[in-house]
Amino acid sequence: MSESRPALPSGTVLNGYRLSRQIGSGGFSLIYLAEDEDTFDQVAIKEYFPKRFGTRGPGQAVRPMGPEYRTHFDRGRRLFFQEVKTLATLRHPSIVAVYNCFLTNDTAYSVLNYEPGTSLARFIQNRGGNLSLRFMMTVFPPLLDALELIHGHRHLHLDIKPSNVRLRPGGRPLLLDFGSAYKLSWGEAGEKAKLVTPGFSPPEQYQSGDEIGPWTDVHAVGATMRTCLDGRPPPSAIDRINDPAALAPAVRAYDGRYPRWLLEAIDWAMTLAPLDRPQTASELRDVLLAHGPEVLAEWGDSEASGPPSLRERSDFSDF
């Protein structure tokens, strides 16, 4: 694994957990596979280690690169604890579970449930997009169901994208990285929503005075669905505002290759105007679930039922 930040060596013991190896990384963390020395259970250990302004000091400590980064470093660590606090309130099959959190090495660590799989981003990259209807219907209704729970607890995720979705055996999704999540009073303007991911964040996430809400996460889900078709992220919301032709509607780009109701749902979720989108995750989920197994059979169960991009057989061969 190519990683500019030095990982802790295999065999390191942290608070009763023995690290096996690094298994992932994000902009603000390294992730290790570890074993609980008491129960011998496998867990994932997430270490707060910001890529842009963190460094490994003496004695395995994680510190700011310089005093000018101290404020950013401390704010990021607070967000790290916020993620743990958020996850502790949520229990859902498609939301990663957190077991513990502790401080050592001048930084913070969280202990998460470990489940094997691969990221949706890597899966899309390997397949080049054109994922089947059956794949879409396996992954996205459970994610939207998890989002409904998150929003019901008055939290927003605010960073939904393919790299934050893990695919477990059978394609079962797991939503990761709640570092940007925060508790929201509906009607609050989005001063806190500073983190944006081009292609997935809607316009209101770029403009701090605009109201954010469940519809903000819904846009990101729609953009993630579109990425499954295109094989690449959509243009940013700002590019789409400046050039309406930057992204052809899914109903036009994929006419005849996917059922129209799916394409219309993606376009609806990705509408730039917040009030014109589904206002809740359940609205989008219910549109997807309104179509039964007979539709999947018609569009995705055999080579004769549609073009190769819609065949269920290839999309799950890695699971």
Side-chain angles (χ1 to χ4, degrees):
M1 179 177 298
S2 176
E3 177 59 65
S4 60
R5 292 163 288 182
L8 293 171
S10 175
T12 300
V13 176
L14 300 173
N15 205 49
Y17 300 97
R18 184 176 296 276
L19 305 188
S20 300
R21 56 186 171 88
Q22 183 186 349
I23 58 172
S25 65
F28 291 88
S29 61
L30 300 182
I31 304 170
Y32 305 90
L33 181 64
E35 183 180 81
D36 186 317
E37 291 195 308
D38 291 329
T39 65
F40 305 107
D41 291 334
Q42 281 193 322
V43 296
I45 303 287
K46 189 172 183 179
E47 177 184 45
Y48 175 64
F49 192 162
K51 185 174 185 176
R52 289 191 300 165
F53 48 83
T55 186
R56 182 81 71 188
Q60 301 179 339
V62 177
R63 298 171 180 171
M65 287 182 177
E68 68 272 23
Y69 295 109
R70 170 56 67 179
T71 299
H72 296 293
F73 186 90
D74 291 346
R75 180 180 182 274
R77 189 164 55 188
R78 286 195 299 272
L79 290 173
F80 188 91
F81 279 112
Q82 177 179 294
E83 176 181 21
V84 174
K85 184 177 179 181
T86 299
L87 288 172
T89 67
L90 303 171
R91 288 289 182 269
H92 188 278
S94 292
I95 298 176
V96 64
V98 61
Y99 297 142
N100 195 5
C101 188
F102 57 90
L103 289 169
T104 191
N105 294 335
D106 292 340
T107 192
Y109 296 85
S110 60
V111 184
L112 309 171
N113 185 43
Y114 172 72
E115 297 189 62
T118 188
S119 78
L120 177 58
R122 179 165 295 188
F123 191 78
I124 293 170
Q125 183 181 40
N126 290 343
R127 298 305 180 93
N130 295 313
L131 299 180
S132 71
L133 175 63
R134 184 174 294 276
F135 180 89
M136 304 288 283
M137 292 296 290
T138 299
V139 171
F140 288 100
L143 279 185
L144 289 162
D145 192 64
L147 268 183
E148 183 181 20
L149 175 66
I150 294 165
H151 297 159
H153 282 72
R154 305 188 78 80
H155 290 289
L156 301 177
H157 188 284
L158 296 181
D159 196 24
I160 297 170
K161 55 189 176 183
S163 60
N164 282 340
V165 177
R166 187 169 183 83
L167 300 177
R168 296 168 289 182
R172 295 176 299 119
L174 190 66
L175 187 57
L176 307 175
D177 200 347
F178 285 69
S180 300
Y182 66 90
K183 200 169 184 68
L184 182 76
S185 297
W186 296 163
E188 177 182 343
E191 284 81 3
K192 298 178 184 177
K194 298 296 186 183
L195 176 67
V196 297
T197 302
F200 301 96
S201 300
E204 65 268 24
Q205 240 174 304
Y206 285 83
Q207 302 169 14
S208 63
D210 288 356
E211 186 178 338
I212 58 176
W215 50 88
T216 305
D217 282 338
V218 166
H219 178 282
V221 173
T224 300
M225 295 175 71
R226 181 63 189 262
T227 304
C228 289
L229 309 190
D230 292 347
R232 61 184 181 278
S236 74
I238 303 304
D239 288 343
R240 292 171 60 207
I241 290 172
N242 293 333
D243 179 11
L247 182 69
V251 292
R252 188 166 76 236
Y254 292 96
D255 182 35
R257 300 178 63 191
Y258 292 88
R260 189 170 181 86
W261 56 264
L262 176 70
L263 303 176
E264 289 177 343
I266 293 172
D267 288 339
W268 185 29
M270 292 186 68
T271 302
L272 292 170
L275 291 178
D276 292 338
R277 277 180 234 139
Q279 296 298 286
T280 66
S282 61
E283 282 188 70
L284 183 58
R285 180 201 60 200
D286 291 348
V287 167
L288 299 181
L289 293 180
H291 302 273
E294 67 279 1
V295 177
L296 294 178
E298 178 184 354
W299 284 86
D301 270 356
S302 71
E303 293 192 12
S305 66
S309 63
L310 299 179
R311 296 177 201 153
E312 176 266 343
R313 62 178 178 84
S314 63
D315 281 352
F316 292 100
S317 62
D318 289 346
F319 293 99

